[in-house]
Amino acid sequence: MNKNLTKLLITNDDGITAPGIIALLHQLVQTNRFEIMVSAPAHEKSGFAHSITINTSVGTEPFQYEDDRLAGVLAYKVYGTPADCVKLTVNQLMGDWVPDLVISGINKGINSGLCVLASGTCGAASEATVQGFKSIALSLDNEHWESQWHFANAAALAMPVIDYILGKERIPRTYFNINLPNIDNINACKGTVLTKQDSGEWDENYTATEEKDGITYYKITGVFNIEEQNMEYDSYATRQNYVSVTPLSIFNCPARIHDLDWLQDWTIFTEL
């Protein structure tokens, strides 16, 4: 281990061989500035949010990337959720090795608006924050799912944000949710903006796929709807070819609950 290099722990929810994490690793490795450890799911775990495994054991094994460019990357394949990957690594795998930043991604698909609630990508970043580390979630937007995914360009666009956040102090209880535009030329990116989490959500539908032994199986499909057509919000800004950076708290409770107007006339509470 090289004490002079910045230490990065990399995880995701698409799986340890997914194109997003591969593109990110290529971008990081070629700089020769980072000491990298990967701890990522053995299989895709999209939609697992911040769930952890509690009733069964979590398995892990060393993993070697076949790509020669990643030959020196220390990696672990984890048979668990994205949050498991972070929690197990901190508790058992990394020893005295302490990351300067935990990066989750690059996810295939936007993680903005209410998608954050189900996102395994964000769940891993959130768990890293719980563990006391500076962390970010990276996701690549693509309005047309079947078109080409420009993960290499997304990784390049993420680098200035990664470097900037590395140079800043850790903000307690907060991680950064970063969504990247899917563009075939990085010069088409218009910049980086600080955004709020919007209320965009999926228009969902369940379709019956089969019936077996009296059980009907359904598969969820849907279309992502952007609610706020405003550059202040993550979904819209990303669709306008900006990198959106949204700080998210690991606490769901509003910081100033006594200032919420709609609670002022509730009489059930005891005065303190």
Side-chain angles (χ1 to χ4, degrees), residues 67-90:
D67 189 328
D68 290 341
R69 289 174 290 178
L70 305 180
V73 174
L74 176 63
Y76 293 94
K77 179 190 291 186
V78 178
Y79 296 87
T81 70
D84 282 334
C85 294
V86 175
K87 191 179 287 288
L88 180 65
T89 302
V90 172

Side-chain angles (χ1 to χ4, degrees), residues 34-78:
F34 303 108
E35 187 174 273
I36 298 169
M37 180 186 293
V38 176
S39 178
H43 310 289
E44 183 178 358
K45 293 292 181 180
S46 298
F48 274 71
H50 199 144
S51 63
I52 59 172
T53 303
I54 58 174
N55 293 320
T56 58
S57 298
V58 178
T60 185
E61 61 179 330
F63 179 80
Q64 180 65 55
Y65 283 103
E66 296 180 358
D67 189 328
D68 290 341
R69 289 174 290 178
L70 305 180
V73 174
L74 176 63
Y76 293 94
K77 179 190 291 186
V78 178

Side-chain angles (χ1 to χ4, degrees), residues 37-259:
M37 180 186 293
V38 176
S39 178
H43 310 289
E44 183 178 358
K45 293 292 181 180
S46 298
F48 274 71
H50 199 144
S51 63
I52 59 172
T53 303
I54 58 174
N55 293 320
T56 58
S57 298
V58 178
T60 185
E61 61 179 330
F63 179 80
Q64 180 65 55
Y65 283 103
E66 296 180 358
D67 189 328
D68 290 341
R69 289 174 290 178
L70 305 180
V73 174
L74 176 63
Y76 293 94
K77 179 190 291 186
V78 178
Y79 296 87
T81 70
D84 282 334
C85 294
V86 175
K87 191 179 287 288
L88 180 65
T89 302
V90 172
N91 189 270
Q92 292 291 324
L93 302 179
M94 72 184 194
D96 295 332
W97 190 89
V98 179
D100 298 294
L101 178 67
V102 178
I103 304 176
S104 181
I106 299 169
N107 186 68
K108 184 179 181 180
I110 197 167
N111 273 313
S112 61
L114 299 183
C115 295
V116 169
L117 298 176
S119 168
T121 303
C122 291
S126 178
E127 177 60 32
T129 303
V130 171
Q131 296 292 334
F133 299 106
K134 190 185 301 184
S135 65
I136 64 174
L138 297 174
S139 301
L140 176 59
D141 180 32
N142 193 344
E143 187 173 1
H144 307 288
W145 195 263
E146 300 302 325
S147 62
Q148 185 175 357
W149 293 80
H150 299 285
F151 284 107
N153 286 347
L157 291 174
M159 282 304 302
V161 185
I162 291 171
D163 285 333
Y164 193 84
I165 290 175
L166 276 167
K168 295 296 182 180
E169 293 294 321
R170 183 178 72 89
I171 303 173
R173 302 178 294 277
T174 301
Y175 70 95
F176 290 95
N177 186 34
I178 301 166
N179 284 285
L180 305 152
N182 189 48
I183 48 180
D184 59 8
N185 186 332
I186 60 173
N187 292 324
C189 180
K190 298 176 182 177
T192 301
V193 291
L194 180 66
T195 53
K196 304 174 186 176
Q197 180 186 5
D198 73 10
S199 57
E201 59 182 325
W202 287 86
D203 183 8
E204 298 166 338
N205 182 52
Y206 279 88
T207 303
T209 56
E210 66 174 313
E211 186 165 343
K212 184 178 181 180
D213 298 329
I215 302 173
T216 304
Y217 294 87
Y218 293 85
K219 184 175 182 179
I220 190 172
T221 58
V223 177
F224 185 66
N225 294 317
I226 298 176
E227 295 294 328
E228 287 84 5
Q229 306 289 316
N230 188 313
M231 280 295 299
E232 293 184 2
Y233 293 94
D234 50 7
S235 303
Y236 185 78
T238 307
R239 288 281 164 90
Q240 303 309 306
N241 286 352
Y242 287 87
V243 175
S244 74
V245 180
T246 308
L248 295 177
S249 172
I250 59 174
F251 292 119
N252 292 326
C253 181
R256 301 177 63 86
I257 58 173
H258 295 288
D259 292 340

